[in-house]
Amino acid sequence: MKQGIKQVKTSRRGQLWLVLALPWLLMQTTEGKAQQVMSSDTVGRPKAALPALLGDTVRVRLELQPDSLVAVPVPAVDSARLEWLRTPPTIRDLVCDRVGCFETDVPHTFNNSVMAYVTLFTARNRSYLQRVLERENFYFPIFEKYLAKYNLPTDLKYLAVVESALIPTAKSPVGATGLWQFMGPTAGDLRLQRDEWIDERMAPEKATEAACKHLRYLYGIFHDWELVLAAYNWGAGSVQRMIRRTGKKTFWDLYPHMPAETRNYVPTFTAIMYSMKYAEAHGLRTPSLRYQYAEPMDTLNVRGYAFDLRRLSRACGYEDSLYLTRFNPELRRAALPAGYRPYVVRFPAAAAVHLGDVDRTTLLEYCQPTAALPQALATLPPRLEGVEPWVSQSVLAATEGPRAREESAAPRFRRVPHKVKRGETLASLAERFEVSPAQLRRWNELPKGRPLKPGRELVVFVPLPAAAPRRAPVAVATEVLPMIAAAPRPVVSTEEVAARREQAAANAREVTRLQDIVRQEKLQEARLVGMRQRQAIQQAVAEGQARTAARRLVQVQAAVVTEARRSEAKATAAAEPAEETPEAVATAPESNAATYTVRKGDYLTKLAREHNLTVAQLMSWNGLEAETVTPGQRLVLRAPATSDAGPASPRRQPKSPVSKATAAVPARSAPERKALLPQVHRVQRGDTLFNISQRFGVTVQVLRELNHLTSDDVKLGQKLLVPQG
């Protein structure tokens, strides 16, 4: 019994030691595998090729190992999640620790998306990052200089790798250009000049400084570097709209709501930063790479000279005529035209040995293009019918134009002050001074639609008459003087000289008198033309007012006729039960079938459809002028009987109240019709629409409808139509 208990205790102790030793054995196995994987990464030859990551949207199923403890099927996962699952935990932990140790303010969050791009740059697409590493030493010093100047994180230099892979002439399909991939409008806002010869988006230093300004502006908006990078790619306005729409304020909260390119932008930046910092640990730096380094540069200022960069390359001793374009990537062509703005050409200082002691002028003359550069086409002036354009700009500059200098210098208007009197309006003053009402409002800053107040001081610029031309006498003198100079000088007496002078003075007076007559005729003709124009305008205004008054009179008459019809219809409807005879009572069903009383909700189209009639028939039989009917109105549903059937008819045909009203309207006498015509009332001081309605015995609503008024306000001197009776 004791031995059995002892054996049980021994077996329990062995199991306890096994449980304690199992984690230690697993830890040793995991560390060994991690060392094997890291050694393979360091050499640069991974043991197994990793699956595609970037742009892989195909969903796959994860195959379970035979010795796996999981026996349930695994659902479909995307490529980033699949890569996260296939990456050994030791590698994930190692990359996570390295990224977490970055001492930087720029984004360095680690997740499965970042891990997928780390694997892409360090395993699948190693050649891409190696080409970037070759240009790193050439461009990163420029980036670090300007980032430090604008107090920005130094690690933002990796943003240019994400944008352009450090290629200064890179251009995206949508037009973004340069190391920092600026679009045209953004480059214009950042003062980067662009024309057919130079695009400063491709200049490394100018574009880098512009990018630093733009990043600093974006950080002032969002105060979050992840949102700054997203806004750099997607636009600040788009990110702000998404924040307002969703109410979320971090990049990873907005991650599902962003387009695919912006979602991958920040993970790509973090993966690029990690891959370039730990390039040696992953075996990306090899001796076979052709690294580029900055070298001392010399400059040549091209001040308006025509310049060919290929000839300068030959003068510097380079076999490749386009070798210097890599130091001047902003040049869209390898030449500049004459008269172009000042530009500084950069070339290696070591090449100055081949130039010798040649001076700047000789070098620029040597670098002249051998062939003429393409020039922009000259703009043609618009061809107008009856107007001949100027021959050239030089001819236009040499002539005085259509007006003489003294005429353009002389004042064309005279300043006249005027004090507004009682009853004066803007139109009357404009007609008095022969100017337009718009000019009066502009000169005196008068609001449109407000009447003038008596006593206000106005300024009127009255046009002056045209000055008399003074070139005719000079022209006569220029015609006579050459003739006198050409002829031999005879001996002339004093009396003849005095006679000639008197004749010349008489000729000059005659010319001046003729010129005055011509000027007066032109002024009279201009006044006549102005009077005709004003008469035509007044006639047009009077005709318009007459048409408007006639239209309003027709509307008033129609309203009066409609009201008369309604009152007579009501009187007829009230008198019909008393006038009915036994015969009419006997024939009531038949008459009800021929007439119809309008109910609420009825309209003419509906009644015509229900009784198999047309709207035109109903309007003709009932004498209607419009398709509007009112509840209680009686309509005739049959054609009215002719007068020939009157004596032979055994029964009296019921007469429609509408026809009675129509027949009663023409029977009015001439004084009654005259009383229906509206009269014109001019608004006096203190009048209001209510006072006028009380004075003439009408309602305010009738006055507003008759005069098309939108409010109860009336102005002094305004004419109103007022119905009589």
Side-chain angles (χ1 to χ4, degrees):
M1 186 70 179
K2 291 182 179 180
Q3 289 180 354
I5 295 173
K6 187 175 182 180
Q7 291 178 358
V8 170
K9 290 182 178 180
T10 304
S11 62
R12 288 182 177 177
R13 290 177 181 176
Q15 292 177 358
L16 181 60
W17 280 105
L18 183 61
V19 169
L20 295 176
L22 184 59
W24 181 81
L25 294 174
L26 291 175
M27 187 178 300
Q28 293 295 330
T29 307
T30 305
E31 290 179 357
K33 290 183 178 181
Q35 292 175 0
Q36 294 176 4
V37 173
M38 289 305 298
S39 62
S40 64
D41 288 343
T42 304
V43 175
R45 297 188 298 272
K47 293 184 178 181
L50 296 175
L53 295 177
L54 186 62
D56 183 11
T57 59
V58 180
R59 294 183 176 273
V60 298
R61 295 186 62 83
L62 183 64
E63 298 293 337
L64 297 177
Q65 299 297 329
D67 57 348
S68 176
L69 299 178
V70 182
V72 295
V74 178
V77 293
D78 56 12
S79 58
R81 180 62 179 168
L82 175 62
E83 187 58 36
W84 176 270
L85 295 174
R86 286 190 171 181
T87 304
T90 54
I91 301 299
R92 293 201 303 261
D93 295 343
L94 180 62
V95 175
C96 180
D97 291 342
R98 288 175 174 176
V99 172
C101 292
F102 288 163
E103 295 182 0
T104 179
D105 295 332
V106 299
H108 55 279
T109 303
F110 182 78
N111 51 27
N112 55 352
S113 299
V114 176
M115 187 64 213
Y117 283 103
V118 168
T119 307
L120 171 67
F121 295 128
T122 58
R124 283 192 62 244
N125 201 1
R126 296 166 59 88
S127 60
Y128 168 81
L129 200 64
Q130 287 178 338
R131 300 287 79 79
V132 173
L133 292 173
E134 290 178 347
R135 297 183 285 269
E136 174 187 6
N137 297 325
F138 188 83
Y139 291 105
F140 274 14
I142 301 176
F143 300 162
E144 293 170 356
K145 178 180 72 173
Y146 285 101
L147 290 172
K149 176 182 177 181
Y150 287 91
N151 297 324
L152 296 174
T154 308
D155 288 336
L156 286 175
K157 59 186 178 183
Y158 298 105
L159 182 61
V161 180
V162 180
E163 289 287 348
S164 61
L166 300 184
I167 300 176
T169 57
K171 189 173 183 179
S172 69
V174 296
T177 307
L179 286 169
W180 300 91
Q181 293 291 287
F182 284 121
M183 296 293 291
T186 308
D189 295 340
L190 296 172
R191 304 295 188 271
L192 294 178
Q193 298 184 5
R194 295 175 295 124
D195 52 32
E196 59 178 338
W197 301 99
I198 288 178
D199 190 349
E200 292 185 349
R201 292 180 294 177
M202 296 184 288
E205 296 206 6
K206 293 184 178 180
T208 302
E209 187 170 8
C212 293
K213 295 179 181 178
H214 189 50
L215 289 170
R216 190 171 181 176
Y217 162 74
L218 293 177
Y219 187 77
I221 296 176
F222 298 102
H223 299 283
D224 186 310
W225 284 114
E226 291 179 338
L227 292 178
V228 167
L229 296 185
Y232 191 91
N233 176 259
W234 194 20
S238 301
V239 176
Q240 287 176 321
R241 283 192 296 271
M242 189 57 62
I243 290 175
R244 288 193 298 266
R245 187 182 305 170
T246 60
K248 300 176 181 178
K249 298 182 179 181
T250 62
F251 173 80
W252 296 106
D253 292 338
L254 297 171
Y255 184 85
H257 306 283
M258 292 183 176
E261 181 182 355
T262 309
R263 284 202 305 265
N264 298 332
Y265 198 74
V266 174
T268 304
F269 175 82
T270 306
I272 285 286
M273 181 171 59
Y274 167 80
S275 302
M276 295 189 70
K277 285 180 178 290
Y278 290 93
E280 295 182 358
H282 291 276
L284 295 173
R285 296 186 183 273
T286 59
S288 61
L289 297 182
R290 295 179 297 178
Y291 295 101
Q292 299 178 12
Y293 295 95
E295 53 182 315
M297 303 299 295
D298 202 347
T299 59
L300 176 64
N301 194 348
V302 182
R303 298 177 181 175
Y305 284 86
F307 185 79
D308 192 346
L309 194 64
R310 290 167 292 191
R311 294 183 63 82
L312 181 61
S313 299
R314 294 296 178 84
C316 292
Y318 298 109
E319 296 181 359
D320 185 6
S321 60
L322 297 178
Y323 179 78
L324 293 183
T325 55
R326 69 185 63 184
F327 302 104
N328 304 274
E330 63 272 16
L331 288 175
R332 303 182 67 175
R333 304 178 186 179
L336 290 175
Y340 192 74
R341 58 185 176 86
Y343 176 75
V344 177
V345 179
R346 305 172 73 249
F347 60 93
V353 179
H354 299 274
L355 300 178
D357 297 334
V358 63
D359 58 340
R360 174 180 171 275
T361 305
T362 306
L363 181 60
L364 288 176
E365 290 178 355
Y366 174 79
C367 294
Q368 294 288 317
T370 55
L373 297 176
Q375 299 292 334
L377 295 177
T379 56
L380 297 177
R383 299 304 299 267
L384 302 177
E385 185 177 357
V387 178
E388 290 295 331
W390 293 98
V391 180
S392 63
Q393 188 175 4
S394 59
V395 176
L396 178 62
T399 58
E400 296 180 353
R403 299 179 181 177
R405 293 182 180 178
E406 59 268 12
E407 293 179 356
S408 60
R412 294 178 297 171
F413 294 92
R414 179 168 57 91
R415 183 187 179 98
V416 177
H418 177 76
K419 189 174 183 180
V420 180
K421 300 178 182 178
R422 184 183 183 88
E424 289 184 340
T425 62
L426 203 64
S428 63
L429 290 177
E431 184 177 1
R432 175 182 173 184
F433 291 102
E434 297 183 355
V435 295
S436 65
Q439 288 176 325
L440 282 177
R441 283 196 300 268
R442 184 172 67 252
W443 293 336
N444 298 277
E445 298 181 357
L446 299 175
K448 193 173 182 180
R450 293 187 181 179
L452 294 177
K453 295 182 179 180
R456 176 163 183 172
E457 292 286 345
L458 297 182
V459 176
V460 184
F461 294 92
V462 179
L464 295 174
R470 299 179 181 177
R471 297 187 178 183
V474 179
V476 173
T478 54
E479 292 179 1
V480 175
L481 287 177
M483 295 175 62
I484 297 174
R489 289 187 178 182
V491 179
V492 183
S493 61
T494 308
E495 298 177 356
E496 189 175 355
V497 171
R500 288 181 180 179
R501 288 179 179 176
E502 291 179 1
Q503 185 65 29
N507 293 339
R509 287 194 298 271
E510 184 66 20
V511 170
T512 304
R513 188 179 66 82
L514 293 176
Q515 291 175 353
D516 292 338
I517 292 173
V518 172
R519 184 174 69 255
Q520 294 296 335
E521 290 178 353
K522 290 183 178 179
L523 290 175
Q524 186 67 20
E525 185 179 357
R527 290 195 186 96
L528 291 176
V529 171
M531 291 175 60
R532 294 193 192 101
Q533 291 179 352
R534 288 194 294 273
Q535 290 175 359
I537 292 172
Q538 292 175 358
Q539 184 178 0
V541 171
E543 291 177 357
Q545 292 177 353
R547 286 195 297 269
T548 305
R551 193 181 308 112
R552 291 176 180 173
L553 178 59
V554 170
Q555 294 175 356
V556 171
Q557 290 178 352
V560 172
V561 170
T562 305
E563 187 66 26
R565 289 176 181 173
R566 290 179 181 175
S567 61
E568 292 183 7
K570 293 179 180 179
T572 304
E576 274 184 358
E579 295 177 358
E580 284 186 353
T581 61
E583 295 179 359
V585 174
T587 60
E590 186 176 352
S591 64
N592 289 339
T595 60
Y596 178 79
T597 303
V598 180
R599 302 185 183 91
K600 188 176 182 180
D602 288 345
Y603 50 94
L604 216 56
T605 306
K606 174 183 175 183
L607 298 176
R609 184 172 60 249
E610 291 177 352
H611 296 87
N612 296 325
L613 300 173
T614 63
V615 177
Q617 288 176 339
L618 289 177
M619 293 180 66
S620 175
W621 296 344
N622 296 276
L624 300 178
E625 296 179 358
E627 298 182 5
T628 306
V629 292
T630 57
Q633 183 179 352
R634 301 187 69 181
L635 300 178
V636 177
L637 303 179
R638 289 183 184 176
T642 58
S643 59
D644 299 338
S649 178
R651 296 185 300 270
R652 179 173 60 85
Q653 294 291 339
K655 194 171 184 180
S656 172
V658 180
S659 62
K660 292 180 182 179
T662 308
V665 172
R668 295 181 183 271
S669 60
E672 292 177 353
R673 288 196 301 269
K674 186 176 181 180
L676 291 176
L677 296 177
Q679 62 177 352
V680 179
H681 172 72
R682 186 184 294 273
V683 178
Q684 303 298 327
R685 181 176 296 276
D687 281 354
T688 63
L689 208 60
F690 179 74
N691 294 344
I692 298 172
S693 65
Q694 293 294 323
R695 186 184 309 163
F696 291 95
V698 295
T699 61
V700 176
Q701 185 65 25
V702 171
L703 288 178
R704 291 182 62 182
E705 294 178 356
L706 186 58
N707 294 277
H708 301 282
L709 300 177
T710 58
S711 65
D712 294 343
D713 297 333
V714 292
K715 299 178 182 178
L716 182 64
Q718 184 178 356
K719 295 180 180 180
L720 299 178
L721 291 176
V722 181
Q724 301 183 22

